[in-house]
Amino acid sequence: MAQFDHVSVKKKANVYFDGKCVSHTVMFPNGTRCTVGVIFPSTLTFNTGSPELMEINCGSCRVRLAGEESWRSYAAGEKFTVPGNSSFEIETIEMVDYVCHFE
Amino acid sequence: MAQFDHVSVKKKANVYFDGKCVSHTVMFPNGTRCTVGVIFPSTLTFNTGSPELMEINCGSCRVRLAGEESWRSYAAGEKFTVPGNSSFEIETIEMVDYVCHFE
């Protein structure tokens, strides 16, 4: 599925880490939301409020969840989950295009 | 209006000019579309296919349309139009958050 239908989209972008991460917020009819965005090559730490499901559309990255020793690699078509009220480090090797679902 | 309702949005971002411009495509029920995006500080030349209406949500820029001598300044809340099959130069002074409507 290349697009979301019957949704609302915020006009204003979310820009984090001096532009290394740019996203737009999408709201679904059932009240849930996601962001569609990109992360440029960098190593960043994101904090979570709600639990997150990150889907990688394009690019490649390595991720380490809070409290874990090891990094795991993710590429196009792969996804990972992050607990709420936690954090993860992401090393973006090739620009990542993603969808991040919030529970 | 801070958001678009009852629309479709493409999951994959449009990334141009080595990441200086990042946008997502929004499709309206009547078949028209727009992009919501940002332009980081830079001077870029955009070519148009369809005529475009550019709304500046945040930031500031100077714009020169193809064939014009002078640059005009635009800030948050302002807009400008560009003919189809033409081009414009945009000097982004402070990161621009925009909505670009295609006719």
Side-chain angles (χ1 to χ4, degrees), chain A residues 1-13 15 19 22 24 26-27 36-38 40 57-58 95 97, chain B residues 1-13 15 19 22 24 27 36-38 40 57-58 95 97 99:
Chain A
M1 189 177 63
Q3 67 189 53
F4 294 117
D5 295 316
H6 311 298
V7 295
S8 296
V9 180
K10 289 196 183 171
K11 287 183 178 181
K12 194 176 171 187
V15 179
V22 179
H24 281 83
V26 177
M27 286 89 65
V36 289
V38 296
F40 294 104
N57 296 331
C58 309
M95 188 197 86
D97 186 292
Chain B
M1 188 177 64
Q3 65 187 56
F4 294 116
D5 295 316
H6 311 298
V7 295
S8 295
V9 60
K10 288 195 184 173
K11 288 184 177 181
K12 192 175 173 189
V15 179
V22 179
H24 281 83
M27 285 90 61
V36 290
V38 297
F40 294 103
N57 297 330
C58 308
M95 188 197 84
D97 186 294
V99 176

Side-chain angles (χ1 to χ4, degrees), chain A residues 24-38:
Chain A
H24 281 83
T25 301
V26 177
M27 286 89 65
F28 298 97
N30 69 358
T32 59
R33 67 197 167 89
C34 75
T35 54
V36 289
V38 296

Side-chain angles (χ1 to χ4, degrees), chain B residues 5-53:
Chain B
D5 295 316
H6 311 298
V7 295
S8 295
V9 60
K10 288 195 184 173
K11 288 184 177 181
K12 192 175 173 189
N14 313 303
V15 179
Y16 299 113
F17 300 111
D18 201 29
K20 290 295 184 190
C21 179
V22 179
S23 73
H24 281 83
T25 302
V26 176
M27 285 90 61
F28 297 96
N30 69 358
T32 60
R33 68 197 167 89
C34 76
T35 54
V36 290
V38 297
I39 304 173
F40 294 103
S42 55
T43 301
L44 304 173
T45 301
F46 286 86
N47 296 306
T48 64
S50 308
E52 297 181 7
L53 167 64

Side-chain angles (χ1 to χ4, degrees), chain B residues 36-101:
Chain B
V36 290
V38 297
I39 304 173
F40 294 103
S42 55
T43 301
L44 304 173
T45 301
F46 286 86
N47 296 306
T48 64
S50 308
E52 297 181 7
L53 167 64
M54 280 281 285
E55 294 181 352
I56 309 300
N57 297 330
C58 308
S60 62
C61 60
R62 298 170 68 237
V63 172
R64 184 166 65 173
L65 300 183
E68 294 202 350
E69 286 287 320
S70 61
W71 292 78
R72 295 191 190 184
S73 295
Y74 297 96
E78 299 183 323
K79 57 187 73 173
F80 61 93
T81 56
V82 186
N85 299 311
S86 184
S87 67
F88 65 99
E89 294 166 271
I90 180 165
E91 181 192 2
T92 298
I93 295 145
E94 194 183 351
M95 188 197 84
V96 161
D97 186 294
Y98 70 88
V99 176
C100 179
H101 296 269

